[in-house]
Amino acid sequence: MQSGIRIVCGLASIALTLGFSARAHADPLTAKTQQGKVHGKTINDGKVRAFLGIPYAAPPVGALRWKPPQPPAKWKGVREAMQYGARCMQRPVFPDMVFQDAGPSEDCLFLNVFTPADAKLKNKLPVMFWIHGGGYQGGSASEPRHNGDFLPLKGVVLVTINYRLDVFGFLATSDLAQEQNGSAGNYGLMDMVAALQWVHANIAKFGGDPGNVTIFGESAGSFAVSTLMAAAPAQGLFQKAIGESGGALKVGSADEKTLAEKEQQEQAWVQSLSVSTPVQPGPAQAGPAQAGLAQLRALPAATILDAAGKQGAPHFSPVVDGTFLTEPVAQTYAEGKQAHVPLLAGWNRDEGGPLEDGMTSARWKDFAEKTFGEHAAEFLSLFPADTDEQAVRSAIDYDGDTFIAFSTWRWIEAQVKTGGAPVYRYHFELPAPSSKFHPGSFAFHSDDIEYVFGTLDTRPGADWRPEDRKLSDEIMSYWTNFARTGDPNGAGLPAWPRFDKDGAVLHLDSDTTAAPDTTGARYEFLEKWMPKRAE
C-alpha cells in the first residue's frame, strides 16, 4: 500500500514539475528583469515580440528633476508592457513627428524591446540601441517610423528609448552646480547611459547579447552617439556605433560655452521666472541655492516648458560639465581618447533642401562675395553657379553642409585618424516621393529613418516605389550586419569598402554603388573659412 502511495505521489510530483516547467516556457511574452517581470505582446502578424514602456530609471520628478537618473523601483507580480510609456516633456517642434503614446510627461524614462518571435535566450542576438532625433528638443521612441515590426526580422534585438529633452534634459545653472559637486546639465545624456546600463543588466533575458550592443541614432541621436563615444561614463556599454546625419564636433559656430558661461546665462533665465513658491524649512533647504532649486522644482512642468520656449530663452543643450564630459568632444577625439569601436556613419544628399524660390546664379555669386570675400573664387569652384540650376544645387549643398553634413564629416575624419577601428561612410541619395509633410522629391534630413526601420508605410501620403522598398531592405541588411560583426557587408549586397582604408563612400540609391569620395575639398574649405555663427 505504501509503495502504491509512493508511486502515486511520485507521479503527481513529476506531473507538477512538468506543469511548472511547461508554464515557465509556455509564455514567451513574459520576461524577467532585475526590477520584475514584464508581459509583452506580438506584432507584425506574430513575427516579433514587443515589450513596451519598461521603466529604466525612476521618474525624474519632484526632488529628482534635474538630477542624474536613479534606479527604477522593483515591482511585484507581472507588469504589463503592451503600451508605449509617455514621451518626455516637449513643445510641438516638428510637424512630421507624430506619436503613439498617451502624451507628454516628466515621468518618461521608458524603453521598448523588440525581439524576433522565435528568439531564444541562448541565441545571444546582437542588440541595436536607438536614440531618436529632434534637436534635443522633441521626439520619442513611440514615433511610428521607429516601430520595431521589421528590423528584428534581420536577427537583432532592438531597443528604443526616451530621454529627457530641452530644459528638463539640459538646464545647467550655478545653483545646480553647487548642489551637484560643481557640475550641472547633460541629464538627457545621462539618461542614455542609464538605459544602456539597463540593457547590459537585462537584455540577456530577451535573447540579446549584452556584450554586442550597437548604439545608433539620427540627427540629435547621431550627435548623441558621437558624444557617448567621447563620454567616460558610457565606455564599455557598447561595441559599435552608427551615426545618421550629425556629429558633435563643432566648427563654424560660436565657440563652445564653458560651464561657467552657460551657468550664468541659464541662472539669469531661471531668475526671470520670478519663482516664489513657498518653501518649507529643513536641512535640504539650508542655503539660498537649495531653496531656489526647491522652488523651481515645485513649479508645474508646463510652466517651465512654456517659459523655455519664449523668445530670448537659452538654447538648452549638452555642455562640458566637468564630469560627464570633461573636455570638448573634438578634443577627446583629437587625443584618441574616444571609444575605439567600429563606426558606420554618413548623411543625406539634401540635408539643406528644399530652398525657398528665387535662387539664381547672380544671387549665389553675390552671396559668395559677401560671405567669403577674397576666398569667393575658391568657394565657387566647390559650390559652382554657372547656371541658375547649378546655383540651386550648390545652395542646397551648402545649406546641408553648414547645417549638419560638415559636423558628420568631421566626426568621421576624427575617428579615422585616432579611432583605431573600421570606419564605413555612406551618402543617402535616393529622392523620396512627395508626402504630406515633405512635398517635392528630396533625400531630405531625416528621410533615411523609415528606410532604416523598414517602416516606409508609416509616412503619411507617400506613394512608395519598388526602388524604395529595395533600398530599405538593403539598408536594414547593412545596418544589422554591422551590428552583428562590425562589417556591413553580406550576401546579395553591393560591396561596401572601408572608408578608413581607401576613402570609398557607399552611395545609397536605386542602384547602390561604392565610389571614391569627391567632396573632401568642400569640407576642407569650410574647415578653414566657414563663418562663425551665434548659437
Side-chain angles (χ1 to χ4, degrees):
M1 181 68 177
Q2 289 182 340
S3 114
I5 292 173
R6 283 197 298 270
I7 292 172
V8 170
C9 289
L11 290 173
S13 176
I14 292 170
L16 191 61
T17 301
L18 289 174
F20 280 132
S21 177
R23 283 195 294 275
H25 295 283
D27 187 6
L29 295 177
T30 297
K32 186 177 181 181
T33 75
Q34 289 189 346
Q35 287 71 46
K37 293 180 180 179
V38 292
H39 182 261
K41 62 182 179 179
T42 59
I43 58 175
N44 191 4
D45 296 326
K47 299 173 187 173
V48 173
R49 293 195 295 259
F51 301 85
L52 308 179
I54 303 173
Y56 67 83
V61 300
L64 295 183
R65 182 188 280 173
W66 299 305
K67 284 188 178 178
Q70 300 300 306
K74 295 185 178 182
W75 58 83
K76 295 181 179 180
V78 180
R79 179 188 177 102
E80 289 299 315
M82 301 175 71
Q83 303 291 332
Y84 287 103
R87 62 185 177 273
C88 292
M89 292 296 294
Q90 58 192 274
R91 295 176 299 279
V93 183
F94 303 103
D96 64 346
M97 282 187 173
V98 295
F99 306 101
Q100 302 172 96
D101 55 58
S105 171
E106 273 194 279
D107 182 2
C108 64
L109 299 185
F110 302 102
L111 56 74
N112 315 291
V113 181
F114 303 90
T115 74
D118 59 356
K120 304 293 190 295
L121 298 186
K122 64 181 180 181
N123 290 154
K124 298 187 70 174
L125 297 176
V127 179
M128 299 188 71
F129 180 96
W130 173 252
I131 306 170
H132 69 76
Y136 291 129
Q137 309 297 306
S140 169
S142 77
E143 294 176 58
R145 57 186 171 181
H146 305 151
N147 283 354
D149 294 69
F150 305 104
L151 204 58
L153 299 181
K154 295 287 186 178
V156 301
V157 172
L158 172 66
V159 177
T160 64
I161 71 164
N162 293 345
Y163 56 92
R164 280 175 283 181
L165 303 166
D166 202 295
V167 62
F168 298 101
F170 298 97
L171 178 68
T173 69
S174 54
D175 283 355
L176 286 170
Q178 181 178 332
E179 176 191 65
Q180 296 166 23
N181 299 317
S183 66
N186 293 336
Y187 307 109
L189 295 172
M190 295 179 199
D191 293 342
M192 298 172 198
V193 171
L196 281 167
Q197 291 169 336
W198 186 97
V199 166
H200 194 266
N202 294 288
I203 205 64
K205 298 297 186 180
F206 297 84
D209 182 356
N212 189 9
V213 176
T214 297
I215 55 174
F216 72 130
E218 186 272 341
S219 195
S222 186
F223 277 81
V225 169
S226 64
T227 303
L228 291 175
M229 287 178 63
Q235 302 312 299
L237 294 174
F238 58 91
Q239 288 68 46
K240 305 172 190 70
I242 298 175
E244 304 168 26
S245 302
L249 283 73
K250 297 184 179 182
V251 160
S253 60
D255 292 336
E256 288 181 320
K257 290 183 174 65
T258 65
L259 179 59
E261 291 169 335
K262 191 168 163 59
E263 287 172 346
Q264 184 177 23
Q265 180 189 25
E266 296 183 11
Q267 188 72 39
W269 173 80
V270 166
Q271 291 171 352
S272 75
L273 299 180
S274 301
V275 174
S276 58
T277 304
V279 181
Q280 297 298 321
Q285 289 84 39
Q290 290 86 351
L293 286 175
Q295 293 174 356
L296 191 60
R297 287 174 172 139
L299 284 178
T303 300
I304 294 171
L305 188 65
D306 181 64
K310 291 182 178 178
Q311 186 173 5
H315 178 66
F316 301 101
S317 59
V319 64
V320 179
D321 64 338
T323 301
F324 190 88
L325 293 174
T326 58
E327 62 198 3
V329 171
Q331 181 180 338
T332 301
Y333 280 82
E335 297 176 5
K337 296 185 291 187
Q338 78 279 24
H340 288 200
V341 299
L343 174 65
L344 184 158
W347 58 89
N348 299 353
R349 188 191 67 173
D350 303 318
E351 301 278 6
L355 296 176
E356 295 180 7
D357 293 336
M359 178 54 66
T360 64
S361 175
R363 283 187 61 191
W364 188 243
K365 290 177 180 177
D366 183 60
F367 167 80
E369 290 290 341
K370 290 179 178 177
T371 306
F372 294 99
E374 62 181 309
H375 306 292
E378 184 182 358
F379 173 80
L380 289 169
S381 72
L382 299 167
F383 298 92
D386 297 333
T387 65
D388 290 349
E389 182 180 11
Q390 195 176 54
V392 169
R393 182 67 252 171
S394 289
I396 292 174
D397 288 342
Y398 178 77
D399 278 4
D401 286 350
T402 55
F403 165 49
I404 214 157
F406 180 40
S407 71
T408 318
W409 177 85
R410 290 197 84 233
W411 174 25
I412 294 169
E413 290 292 316
Q415 184 69 359
V416 167
K417 290 177 183 176
T418 66
V423 176
Y424 296 88
R425 182 176 141 190
Y426 73 84
H427 196 230
F428 184 93
E429 298 171 356
L430 180 65
S434 184
S435 59
K436 177 180 178 180
F437 298 111
H438 300 281
S441 185
F442 299 90
F444 55 86
H445 181 65
S446 81
D447 184 24
D448 50 301
I449 296 174
E450 288 93 339
Y451 291 82
V452 168
F453 282 87
T455 53
L456 296 176
D457 293 323
T458 66
R459 185 180 296 176
D463 186 10
W464 298 107
R465 307 152 300 189
E467 57 264 37
D468 297 300
R469 299 193 186 279
K470 171 178 170 287
L471 180 58
S472 176
D473 188 67
E474 287 179 347
I475 291 174
M476 285 194 290
S477 294
Y478 281 129
W479 266 230
T480 54
N481 287 345
F482 179 81
R484 188 171 295 107
T485 67
D487 184 341
N489 290 287
L493 294 170
W496 189 342
R498 282 172 56 171
F499 180 73
D500 59 307
K501 290 292 187 183
D502 58 11
V505 175
L506 191 74
H507 299 268
L508 295 168
D509 208 333
S510 54
D511 290 312
T512 294
T513 57
D517 177 35
T518 60
T519 59
R522 266 177 25 195
Y523 302 114
E524 290 166 1
F525 175 88
L526 295 175
E527 185 99 65
K528 292 185 292 185
W529 307 119
M530 189 165 76
K532 290 187 176 183
R533 60 187 184 279
E535 291 188 330

